[in-house]
Amino acid sequence: MLDSFYSLGISHWNCPLEIRELFSMDEHQKTRFLAEIESELGASAIIVSTCNRTQVYANNVNLHLLKEKFLKHTGNHKDYFEKYGFIYHSDKAIENLFEVSTGIDSQILGDLQIFSQVKEGVELSKKHNVLDAEMDRLLQFVFQANKEVQSSTTISKGAASVAHAALLKIRQKTQDLPSKKILLFGTGEIGQRTLENLNSQTSAEIVIVNRTDEKAIRLAQEHNVRSVSIDKLQDEIISSDVVVVATGSKNYTITEKHIKGVNSKKLFIDLSVPRNIDPKVIESTLVDLYDMDQLNSEADKTLHKRKKDIPKARTIINLHTIEFQDWLKLHKLGPVIKSLGITFEYIKDREIKKYKGQYEADDIQKVKPLIDSIVRRISSQNIEYLRKRYRYNEDILEIIKEMYKLN
């Protein structure tokens, strides 16, 4: 497989939210990381930075140097990485890329959002020319596997997203309210998904606010909800039953000052990593606060049904992994096949020159098509045999090299 393919990072499986948020990377950090990976290490890489993980996949790279770059651009939290981090190599790293991209490795099984975040990572790497041919081809097989898992399994059916988990929690906590008002703060990807879920599956009054008023106004018009300016944030918090925050900031965007004047019970949901609601707000007895980890741990009625399709999804992944292995083997044969063709042409030309004095030039030209045909036939049979045997026995490559004295 790919001997210098690695993945490292931290994820929800063994790392608490308060540590994961320390490793989150914004666009500037990602861009600088990729630039150094390309210019200093000459490697290929993608970054998957989500609410549940900050993870790098890299090819043709030195692991020690990759780890150094990762720690540098995620805040130099070496001790935490040694305690909570993971490193995968070769086949295991490739398997993990397939599992993450198809939702099997998500905290909410089948989370549709994770694939969008993988695609974002790929697009950013392509933008900065940090993808080599091998990794680009691997990702094509990964994308195809995701497509088949989505179309032929139920893994992503039901509450298979953080946005849907938030909706379930809102329903649970507000079921006794005859009417309710929900404030959504933040209109990025998670915020928009949450807005779509809330708007289509509740009858609540929905108000959206964003640090950029123009975006909030546009989304409000698209979804037939109300938007307010950010300077009205505290007033809207006080008058709302539910406050959902998906602002994607490095700092808290909701703090204790925003709940001054609150006189009724409120549900706060923080969909941001790092967290954007200051945990101190729960010091108020009127505030219930749920972050990403708490939402993801909520019971999911469709989980058991989705789990039944995990073996089917793994079968799809295995098939595409085998196809990639097959492509990779044949890809590595390319230089040898090219050299083999050059060698046959050299032998042909050498033999023609050897007998050139014994024949007229016209005679040689007459039989040359026949000679070329014979050489092509012998060449194609050798190449076909090499391709067929190399799939199962890599030693054949060295035998051919030795037989024809290929470099």
Side-chain angles (χ1 to χ4, degrees):
M1 194 55 87
L2 296 176
D3 294 331
S4 58
F5 186 76
Y6 293 94
S7 180
L8 59 82
I10 53 97
S11 78
H12 59 89
W13 291 117
N14 66 342
C15 184
L17 177 60
E18 60 268 22
I19 304 301
R20 292 202 308 273
E21 63 189 11
L22 296 176
F23 285 82
S24 65
M25 298 174 73
D26 59 26
E27 290 302 308
H28 181 61
Q29 289 169 303
K30 293 177 187 177
T31 298
R32 288 173 58 196
F33 171 84
L34 290 174
E36 291 186 15
I37 286 289
E38 193 277 331
S39 64
E40 298 179 22
L41 307 187
S44 173
I46 65 169
I47 305 165
V48 181
S49 184
T50 75
C51 52
N52 286 327
R53 72 182 68 243
T54 299
Q55 186 169 356
V56 172
Y57 297 91
N59 191 36
N60 291 322
V61 70
N62 175 281
L63 175 60
H64 175 71
L65 296 177
L66 176 65
K67 183 178 175 181
E68 277 190 352
K69 294 298 182 185
F70 178 79
L71 291 174
K72 173 184 175 181
H73 291 284
T74 55
N76 290 308
H77 305 292
K78 184 177 181 180
D79 290 343
Y80 283 135
F81 183 81
E82 296 303 325
K83 183 176 181 179
Y84 296 109
F86 59 81
I87 297 173
Y88 300 138
H89 177 227
S90 192
D91 291 0
K92 178 60 180 176
I94 290 172
E95 177 186 29
N96 178 258
L97 176 57
F98 273 99
E99 291 184 347
V100 168
S101 301
T102 54
I104 289 180
D105 195 68
S106 299
Q107 192 166 28
I108 295 181
L109 179 64
D111 191 343
L112 291 168
Q113 189 176 351
I114 183 65
F115 183 61
S116 296
Q117 291 159 334
V118 171
K119 286 203 300 183
E120 287 177 7
V122 173
E123 289 167 4
L124 186 63
S125 292
K126 286 184 175 180
K127 178 180 177 181
H128 294 282
N129 298 312
V130 198
L131 278 185
D132 60 24
E134 291 177 339
M135 199 162 175
D136 185 59
R137 187 65 172 175
L138 170 61
L139 288 162
Q140 291 179 38
F141 284 105
V142 168
F143 283 17
Q144 185 60 35
N146 171 269
K147 184 178 179 180
E148 291 186 24
V149 168
Q150 299 307 319
S151 64
S152 59
T153 76
T154 61
I155 277 182
S156 295
K157 306 300 188 290
S161 71
V162 173
H164 200 116
L167 175 63
L168 295 179
K169 177 54 63 178
I170 291 170
R171 283 177 174 171
Q172 176 191 338
K173 287 291 186 177
T174 62
Q175 58 185 346
D176 295 331
L177 296 178
S179 61
K180 51 184 171 283
K181 177 182 174 182
I182 301 173
L183 174 65
L184 174 63
F185 182 21
T187 57
E189 183 180 350
I190 292 178
Q192 290 184 51
R193 285 179 178 271
T194 304
L195 174 59
E196 290 166 4
N197 274 328
L198 292 173
N199 205 28
S200 63
Q201 300 186 51
T202 74
S203 58
E205 176 191 357
I206 300 173
V207 178
I208 60 175
V209 61
N210 192 56
R211 284 171 289 187
T212 305
D213 287 343
E214 292 78 6
K215 189 172 182 181
I217 293 170
R218 177 175 56 78
L219 281 174
Q221 292 173 343
E222 289 177 6
H223 294 276
N224 196 29
V225 298
R226 184 164 62 89
S227 68
V228 296
S229 175
I230 195 166
D231 58 11
K232 302 289 185 183
L233 178 61
Q234 186 171 0
D235 293 340
E236 293 297 328
I237 288 174
I238 292 172
S239 65
S240 297
D241 302 296
V242 179
V243 178
V244 180
V245 177
T247 41
S249 171
K250 283 287 186 181
N251 303 305
Y252 295 135
T253 54
I254 298 292
T255 62
E256 291 175 287
K257 72 177 185 180
H258 291 99
I259 63 170
K260 288 181 180 179
V262 166
N263 55 14
S264 61
K265 195 74 174 177
K266 303 197 182 297
L267 170 64
F268 281 69
I269 294 180
D270 193 346
L271 299 181
S272 307
V273 175
R275 289 171 294 180
N276 281 187
I277 300 179
D278 188 339
K280 290 181 180 179
V281 300
I282 60 173
E283 293 177 6
S284 168
T285 58
L286 295 175
V287 172
D288 281 340
L289 173 62
Y290 288 83
D291 60 29
M292 297 291 286
D293 279 0
Q294 292 167 312
L295 282 176
N296 289 330
S297 66
E298 289 292 310
D300 183 351
K301 293 179 181 178
T302 66
L303 180 61
H304 179 68
K305 182 178 179 182
R306 297 205 310 276
K307 277 185 174 179
K308 289 182 179 180
D309 265 359
I310 289 180
K312 188 175 181 181
R314 290 196 184 280
T315 298
I316 293 170
I317 288 173
N318 289 339
L319 289 173
H320 284 282
T321 302
I322 291 171
E323 288 181 2
F324 172 67
Q325 291 173 334
D326 194 45
W327 174 86
L328 188 61
K329 279 191 171 184
L330 297 182
H331 178 68
K332 288 180 178 179
L333 282 180
V336 176
I337 291 173
K338 183 178 180 179
S339 295
L340 196 57
I342 292 172
T343 297
F344 280 128
E345 285 297 310
Y346 170 75
I347 293 172
K348 180 193 75 174
D349 292 341
R350 186 184 63 191
E351 292 302 307
I352 289 175
K353 286 180 181 178
K354 186 186 297 184
Y355 293 97
K356 196 171 184 181
Q358 301 178 27
Y359 299 95
E360 296 292 334
D362 288 346
D363 293 332
I364 293 177
Q365 285 302 115
K366 287 177 182 178
V367 298
K368 193 171 182 301
L370 176 60
I371 297 171
D372 289 342
S373 177
I374 293 171
V375 170
R376 282 197 300 270
R377 179 63 61 89
I378 295 172
S379 176
S380 64
Q381 286 184 341
N382 276 263
I383 291 169
E384 184 60 31
Y385 178 77
L386 175 59
R387 283 175 169 163
K388 184 177 180 180
R389 288 296 301 274
Y390 187 64
R391 283 187 168 98
Y392 312 104
N393 181 6
E394 295 186 12
D395 290 343
I396 190 64
L397 187 60
E398 295 307 315
I399 294 172
I400 293 291
K401 284 181 178 180
E402 183 179 352
M403 181 185 301
Y404 292 105
K405 298 179 174 57
L406 304 179
N407 294 326

